[in-house]
Amino acid sequence: MSGYTSDVSRPVTSALNPWWRWLLLAPGLLAVAYGFYGLLTAGGRVPIGSWLTWFVGSALVHDLVVAPLWIGLGWVAAKVLPRPARGPAVVGAAVSGVLVVVALPFVLGYGAQEGNDSLLPRDYGTTLLVVVGVVLAVTAAWCLVATLRSARTASTTAAPRPRTRA
């Protein structure tokens, strides 16, 4: 058995290997511990109720909205798209989703003040639509190229048919 697979008979100890996994895990655990310590020692500077609402709410939004949406999109992609187009389609959807999440506060106008047009000086909704449209157009082209390349490769590597005499 390789060091990369877990051993079902020893799930706890097999998770300790390979040794270099700890090079990635330990700094993450230290950062979480530092953040938790800072949260507990901040006193009144951090409203724990609001923080807890945000923390639990973001986990619930992920688990009840984002994850099922991605699972559904993956299922639809597996049923509708040819295999070579699935990867590019997932990347395009992920990039579009991240762009929407990042731009949404600007599109909704959070932070704007009446009488101060310099805080949100652009038409963020139109810009978001244009950028996502470009991402989706590039994604469609990428899917098309990947599918055509795969079909061309499959046709050139196929075994030649035996000739029959008429």
Side-chain angles (χ1 to χ4, degrees), residues 15-36:
L16 301 175
N17 292 320
W19 66 268
W20 50 264
R21 182 178 296 169
W22 290 98
L23 294 176
L24 303 174
L25 186 61
L29 291 174
L30 287 172
V32 168
Y34 178 74
F36 190 67

Side-chain angles (χ1 to χ4, degrees), residues 92 95-100 103 123-139:
V95 169
S96 298
V98 168
L99 285 170
V100 169
D123 182 8
Y124 295 103
T126 303
T127 304
L128 177 63
L129 288 175
V130 169
V131 171
V132 169
V134 168
V135 167
L136 294 179
V138 169
T139 299

Side-chain angles (χ1 to χ4, degrees), residues 11-166:
V12 175
T13 57
S14 67
L16 301 175
N17 292 320
W19 66 268
W20 50 264
R21 182 178 296 169
W22 290 98
L23 294 176
L24 303 174
L25 186 61
L29 291 174
L30 287 172
V32 168
Y34 178 74
F36 190 67
Y37 172 77
L39 185 66
L40 293 178
T41 59
R45 294 178 292 165
V46 176
I48 297 294
S50 297
W51 178 87
L52 193 60
T53 301
W54 175 84
F55 188 74
V56 172
S58 64
L60 289 175
V61 165
H62 176 271
D63 291 351
L64 299 177
V65 177
V66 175
L69 180 66
W70 272 106
I71 291 168
L73 286 174
W75 182 80
V76 168
K79 295 291 182 188
V80 174
L81 296 176
R83 185 176 296 275
R86 292 177 194 164
V90 168
V91 170
V95 169
S96 298
V98 168
L99 285 170
V100 169
V101 167
V102 168
L104 198 59
F106 299 103
V107 172
L108 296 176
Y110 292 136
Q113 288 181 354
E114 200 171 315
N116 187 353
D117 294 336
S118 65
L119 289 175
L120 295 173
R122 294 181 177 29
D123 182 8
Y124 295 103
T126 303
T127 304
L128 177 63
L129 288 175
V130 169
V131 171
V132 169
V134 168
V135 167
L136 294 179
V138 169
T139 299
W142 186 10
C143 289
L144 180 64
V145 168
T147 303
L148 292 176
R149 278 187 182 168
S150 176
R152 189 174 345 129
T153 303
S155 67
T156 59
T157 59
R161 290 189 206 163
R163 291 187 177 187
T164 57
R165 294 186 187 205

